Structure formats: structure tokens, C-alpha cells
């Protein structure tokens, strides 16, 4: 839940659960758009002012403007597109990747193997330290 590089992601959720939605990854850089799905018309973009990104680096949230989802039927699919990822790779995650690559090289493990090999304790501890734990949930505020 912490991308190593800048990337564009799309999350799908359902409307009618509140005005505030927690982004399940961090950090978030930019809210690129929100669309709702309509069976007949396809995807309909919401007004750019309908939502904004808050607390992008620490605990990213999307806050919808008052009444922005009033015309959207409850339970309708919403697609939220964001740019996420750090400006530079976090040092602990870079170290974890190096440890995993070294262990796999020493063990002669190829990336084509069907079953994922166990990750060494040190690398797993580094990843656990950097993991973002906030779920993608809604709040009625």
C-alpha cells in the first residue's frame, strides 16, 4: 500500500456511503478525476470541483463537496483516479528490495517460479515498518 514509484491508479467503490473516502494507499499526489457508471451512458465524469484530496502525504482522503453526490443513485459505481507514489523511493523499502534480490540470487531462485518463495525476516520487517494501514472506507461526515 506504499507504491515505490509514481503511478496512476483507479479505485472503484459505491456511492451513497458518505462524503469522505479514505484512499487505501499513501502517499497520494493528485486527484485526477471521479466518474460514475451509468449502464446506458457509460462513465459520466463528476464536476472537477465535486471532490478534493486531503492529507495527501500522511492519510489521503477524498472529500466530496456538499451535495456533489446528490444526483448519483445510492450504490452506483464510482471510479476514483489518482496519481500516487513518492517523489523518491523510501530508503527502508529500497533496502528491503535489495535484501530480497540478494537472497533470491544466493538461493538461485528465478522470478519465473510458480510459487512465491518466503521473504527473509529482515526484509519482511522493513516492509512491515513502511506499510500503510488505512483501509479504503467511507465516513458519513
Amino acid at each position: 500500500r506504499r507504491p515505490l514509484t509514481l503511478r496512476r491508479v483507479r479505485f472503484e467503490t459505491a456511492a451513497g456511503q458518505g462524503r469522505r473516502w479514505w484512499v487505501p494507499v499513501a502517499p497520494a499526489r493528485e486527484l485526477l478525476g471521479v466518474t460514475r457508471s451509468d449502464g446506458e451512458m457509460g462513465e459520466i465524469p463528476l464536476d472537477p470541483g465535486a471532490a478534493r484530496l486531503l492529507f495527501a502525504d500522511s492519510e489521503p482522503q477524498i472529500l466530496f463537496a456538499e451535495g456533489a453526490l446528490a444526483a448519483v443513485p445510492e450504490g452506483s459505481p464510482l471510479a476514483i483516479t489518482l496519481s500516487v507514489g513518492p517523489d523518491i523511493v523510501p530508503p527502508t523499502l529500497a533496502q528491503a528490495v535489495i535484501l530480497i534480490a540478494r537472497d533470491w540470487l544466493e538461493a538461485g531462485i528465478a522470478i519465473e517460479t510458480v510459487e512465491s518463495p518466503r521473504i527473509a525476516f529482515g526484509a519482511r520487517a522493513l516492509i512491515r515498518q513502511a506499510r500503510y494501514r488505512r483501509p479504503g472506507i467511507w465516513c458519513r461526515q
Side-chain angles (χ1 to χ4, degrees):
R1 297 189 173 183
R2 284 208 186 267
L4 291 177
T5 59
L6 194 61
R7 66 185 65 206
R8 182 182 178 135
V9 295
R10 177 182 160 127
F11 297 103
E12 295 182 1
T13 185
Q17 301 179 62
R19 287 186 49 217
R20 185 179 301 260
W21 183 75
W22 274 268
V23 178
V25 300
R29 291 285 152 234
E30 182 183 4
L31 175 61
L32 301 173
V34 179
T35 60
R36 71 179 180 101
S37 293
D38 183 359
E40 298 171 2
M41 298 177 64
E43 289 195 356
I44 303 166
L46 267 60
D47 178 46
R52 61 188 173 119
L53 178 64
L54 303 173
F55 313 114
D57 289 325
S58 59
E59 192 176 56
Q61 303 166 27
I62 305 297
L63 180 63
F64 289 91
E66 190 76 42
L69 298 175
V72 180
E74 189 168 329
S76 291
L78 287 178
I80 301 169
T81 306
L82 296 154
S83 172
V84 300
D87 293 329
I88 59 167
V89 176
T92 55
L93 293 179
Q95 183 65 31
V97 170
I98 291 168
L99 288 173
I100 292 168
R102 186 197 68 201
D103 289 347
W104 287 13
L105 180 66
E106 288 174 359
I109 298 171
I111 59 172
E112 295 87 19
T113 58
V114 176
E115 191 175 315
S116 296
R118 291 184 136 284
I119 296 175
F121 175 77
R124 192 176 18 211
L126 290 169
I127 292 168
R128 194 176 302 124
Q129 287 174 4
R131 181 171 285 146
Y132 179 66
R133 291 180 176 85
R134 188 70 182 187
I137 60 170
W138 283 88
C139 181
R140 293 231 175 249
Q141 298 181 15

